Amino acid sequence: MKVKNILISQNAPAEFDKSPYADLTKKYSINIDFFKFFRIEGVTSREFREAHVSIPEHDAVVFTSKTTVDYFFSLVKELRLELSEDMKYFCTTDQVAFYLQKYIQFRKRKIFFNKNNSVKGVFDLFLKNPEYKYLLPCGADSMATQYADFFKEHNIAYSQAVIYKNVPADIKSSIDITKYDMIIFFSPSGISSLKANYPDFSQEEVAFGALGTGACEAIINAGFELHVQAPTKEHQSITSAMDAFLKEHATRRR
């Protein structure tokens, strides 16, 4: 197996020349292209109502990402809801908390976040406020299971609400997938998109890599072979794992 052309199934970094991907291209004289395999769409108000989740019945909302913040408030607007001034907002990082100011006034009594940006720190916040009924907005393919599991374990009332979904992108008309010797995935949605675009796709000598447990399991469950994975004890980042693989399989090595 020789690798010359690599496809990264997500958007290119804002500053590619300063990214680890650029280092790999120079080190192994390879080509790296970027194309996101899916796009994100918010669920419609009708789809949300069919899930029978009532936002006003909750005391607090948990935000795990900026994406979740955007789609939540877009949905609230579409539903024509007025959120109570007593609603509390728990954010998993300080970046998400500060981003929340785009939609609501930043008041310490309403917004809670873990300054250390650790999962344990967020869990401690929940334990200090076990009386709330939490709403956990999430994507159809990213169910924030670690937070849901925590609420279940500690008997804290909560509801999960799917507010956005991943839709396969049109790969066929945008790129020639047959030219690539390696494809890197970052979520189960990437594998779903590949299969939707190429129902008869045959992996043959194409190396597959993945970042995250979900993406790795999706590759294996789809019947493909997984060659590169992260994070692991040896490789915390996908570029580190790629580097180790390319040392043996790049067409040109230094």
Side-chain angles (χ1 to χ4, degrees):
M1 180 182 292
K2 298 297 181 182
V3 177
K4 175 66 177 179
N5 297 302
I6 300 176
L7 177 59
I8 307 295
S9 63
Q10 67 175 8
N11 295 327
E15 295 183 283
F16 173 78
D17 291 341
K18 298 180 181 179
S19 73
Y21 293 112
D23 295 335
L24 292 178
T25 62
K26 296 172 184 176
K27 186 175 182 179
Y28 297 107
S29 298
I30 55 175
N31 301 315
I32 296 182
D33 293 331
F34 296 83
F35 183 82
K36 192 161 187 176
F37 276 27
F38 60 89
R39 65 182 187 278
I40 298 176
E41 288 185 358
V43 300
T44 65
S45 56
R46 179 178 179 179
E47 289 172 324
F48 184 78
R49 290 191 181 98
E50 289 176 349
H52 303 294
V53 176
S54 175
I55 295 175
E57 290 182 0
H58 296 79
D59 307 301
V61 183
V62 181
F63 289 121
T64 58
S65 68
K66 295 178 182 179
T67 297
T68 308
V69 172
D70 285 335
Y71 281 98
F72 175 80
F73 283 99
S74 176
L75 180 63
V76 166
K77 183 178 180 180
E78 186 176 346
L79 292 170
R80 298 181 180 178
L81 292 177
E82 288 290 336
L83 296 176
S84 169
E85 291 187 359
D86 295 327
M87 182 71 81
K88 306 298 191 294
Y89 302 94
F90 287 75
C91 301
T92 55
T93 67
D94 54 1
Q95 292 93 342
V96 174
F98 294 135
Y99 185 75
L100 191 54
Q101 295 180 86
K102 179 179 177 181
Y103 297 98
I104 64 173
Q105 285 188 317
F106 196 103
R107 297 176 184 173
K108 289 185 178 180
R109 67 179 181 85
K110 293 176 61 176
I111 300 177
F112 301 80
F113 63 93
N114 166 42
K115 295 180 180 179
N116 295 324
N117 294 330
S118 68
V119 174
K120 181 182 181 301
V122 178
F123 289 166
D124 288 342
L125 291 176
F126 296 149
L127 290 176
K128 291 178 182 178
N129 301 275
E131 71 280 11
Y132 295 146
K133 182 178 182 180
Y134 291 86
L135 179 66
L136 185 57
C138 57
D141 295 321
S142 54
M143 299 296 287
T145 52
Q146 61 181 330
Y147 301 102
D149 290 344
F150 180 85
F151 288 140
K152 291 177 184 177
E153 180 183 351
H154 295 276
N155 296 314
I156 297 175
Y158 82 101
S159 302
Q160 279 184 285
V162 173
I163 61 172
Y164 62 88
K165 54 190 175 183
N166 297 333
V167 179
D170 183 2
I171 303 175
K172 285 185 176 181
S173 62
S174 302
I175 57 175
D176 177 10
I177 202 166
T178 63
K179 70 178 265 190
Y180 297 103
D181 311 304
M182 172 184 278
I183 305 176
I184 304 297
F185 297 90
F186 297 84
S187 77
S189 295
I191 299 298
S192 298
S193 180
L194 177 70
K195 295 180 69 175
N197 279 270
Y198 305 95
D200 300 320
F201 181 85
S202 178
Q203 185 178 9
E204 297 180 356
E205 292 297 313
V206 180
F208 275 10
L211 175 65
T213 302
C216 291
E217 291 179 349
I219 289 175
I220 296 171
N221 291 338
F224 298 125
E225 183 178 354
L226 178 64
H227 301 84
V228 178
Q229 68 181 83
T232 62
K233 183 177 180 180
E234 295 80 12
H235 306 291
Q236 288 297 306
S237 69
I238 189 63
T239 49
S240 172
M242 289 170 63
D243 190 1
F245 184 81
L246 290 169
K247 286 179 180 177
E248 298 297 327
H249 299 281
T251 55
R252 178 179 175 185
R253 302 184 294 275
R254 295 180 181 179

